[in-house]
Amino acid sequence: MSNASSAGMTAWVGLAVQAVGPTGDRPYDDWLAEVERTAVDLWLMSAPGGSTARLAADLSACTPVTGVLAHAHVDGERGRARLVVRVANGEGGSDERPFHTERLVHRRARDVLERAQSLVGHGVRLLLTAGESGEPRVLHISDSGERERGSAGTRGERAARERAAAVSEAVAPVEEPQVPVASAPAPQPAPQPAPEHRRAAASPPAAAPAPAQPAEAPAPPPAPGVTWEEGSLSVWRNINRSWPKAYRTSCLLALRDRVVVDDNGSVLNLDELITLAQESPEPDTPRGKDLAARYPA
């Protein structure tokens, strides 16, 4: 077997072993069959006319755009990913320009969205092609190596910092106000009352009013969060809706095993689970078949 990539099957088998991973608890025959399928898939992808070769041909005719990625999210109305890039305008400033991928039913578009979500605030290079309506479509995104000054990091990092700040604020002890105590003056000898005032002086003095107690500080609000029952809906919506419902359920069951919750049952890694949902493997791939077998719906 040979192809234009000049890489023999030995190289593809080595890459397939790395992709499939160790045998673990799987029977050796099942592991070997998955390695063989992966090696053949890699070989076919690299052959002339394969998916990788076609993608390389498409990208070679694309128009490059460089800038700083400001936003990357799903445009639900269009069913595409929307990327907002700050592009230099030649006057010392920058303008925000929106770009869309192909429809997210295509694996290539989902790969662009997955990569873009980890590059928010970074310098990026987009490769654009004209879509069916003439509007530019993003086929590929890569890190240009530049960094935006003062970047706050990825969406997941920002959300983790916000949750940590909320938890710190909730558990911080409330400081009681410190009331200064004046030193008592030295006792002075009491003057002897006149005889006509002795009877009045014998009556006990009125009790002094008790000092007002400082008001207690209100309890801090509980830290924000959602339970898995609430967050699983967002995860479900980010699994490819064109796949069979049974397979999407298997993907959701697999993601449930990766949930991290706090003592109150709130999910701490919801952003990570949504990202993993968007990059779930195709049902007909070796990884997809293995996932469906491990987590039957």
Side-chain angles (χ1 to χ4, degrees):
M1 304 175 83
S2 62
N3 54 45
S5 68
S6 73
M9 281 303 297
T10 302
W12 295 128
V13 170
L15 292 174
V17 170
Q18 296 180 32
V20 173
T23 55
D25 297 333
R26 289 175 290 183
Y28 177 76
D29 290 343
D30 294 346
W31 175 85
L32 182 60
E34 186 172 354
V35 170
E36 291 176 348
R37 288 194 300 268
T38 304
V40 172
D41 287 345
L42 293 173
W43 180 81
L44 292 174
M45 289 167 59
S46 67
S51 58
T52 302
R54 291 197 305 270
L55 177 58
D58 292 342
L59 295 180
S60 65
C62 285
T63 302
V65 171
T66 58
V68 175
L69 184 62
H71 303 285
H73 57 269
V74 177
D75 189 339
E77 295 182 357
R78 300 193 180 191
R80 309 174 189 274
R82 183 173 185 267
L83 312 182
V84 179
V85 181
R86 297 192 187 99
V87 181
N89 57 16
E91 300 177 357
S94 62
D95 298 325
E96 288 193 351
R97 296 177 55 188
F99 300 96
H100 286 84
T101 65
E102 302 170 299
R103 297 186 63 83
L104 292 174
V105 295
H106 302 295
R107 177 70 187 185
R108 181 164 60 184
R110 297 196 299 274
D111 289 343
V112 171
L113 175 60
E114 174 189 346
R115 178 65 171 153
Q117 288 176 331
S118 65
L119 292 175
V120 173
H122 296 191
V124 295
R125 185 171 186 264
L126 307 183
L127 295 181
L128 308 178
T129 187
E132 297 177 357
S133 61
E135 296 181 359
R137 293 283 178 262
V138 182
L139 293 189
H140 185 74
I141 182 172
S142 59
D143 190 341
S144 68
E146 299 180 0
R147 296 294 180 266
E148 182 180 37
R149 182 173 298 178
S151 172
T154 64
R155 181 183 65 179
E157 293 169 349
R158 291 196 300 271
R161 284 195 292 270
E162 291 172 359
R163 285 195 296 267
V167 172
S168 299
E169 181 181 355
V171 301
V174 178
E175 296 184 358
E176 294 292 341
Q178 298 296 326
V179 180
V181 179
S183 58
Q188 298 293 330
Q192 295 296 325
E196 61 272 15
H197 296 300
R198 288 177 182 174
R199 181 173 299 178
S203 60
Q213 296 295 329
E216 295 184 359
V226 296
T227 63
W228 168 244
E229 287 72 15
E230 298 167 336
S232 61
L233 182 59
S234 298
V235 176
W236 172 263
R237 290 174 176 171
N238 280 274
I239 301 174
N240 192 334
R241 301 186 182 186
S242 65
W243 292 342
K245 184 176 180 180
Y247 180 69
R248 294 179 67 198
T249 303
S250 296
C251 294
L252 186 64
L253 294 175
L255 293 172
R256 185 179 61 183
D257 286 350
R258 307 187 67 166
V259 174
V260 179
V261 298
D262 60 15
D263 294 339
N264 297 322
S266 298
V267 180
L268 299 177
N269 61 335
L270 183 59
D271 290 326
E272 176 190 359
L273 296 174
I274 290 175
T275 300
L276 293 174
Q278 294 168 349
E279 62 184 20
S280 298
E282 298 279 350
D284 55 353
T285 62
R287 288 180 56 204
K289 294 177 181 178
D290 181 65
L291 186 149
R294 288 171 176 265
Y295 299 92

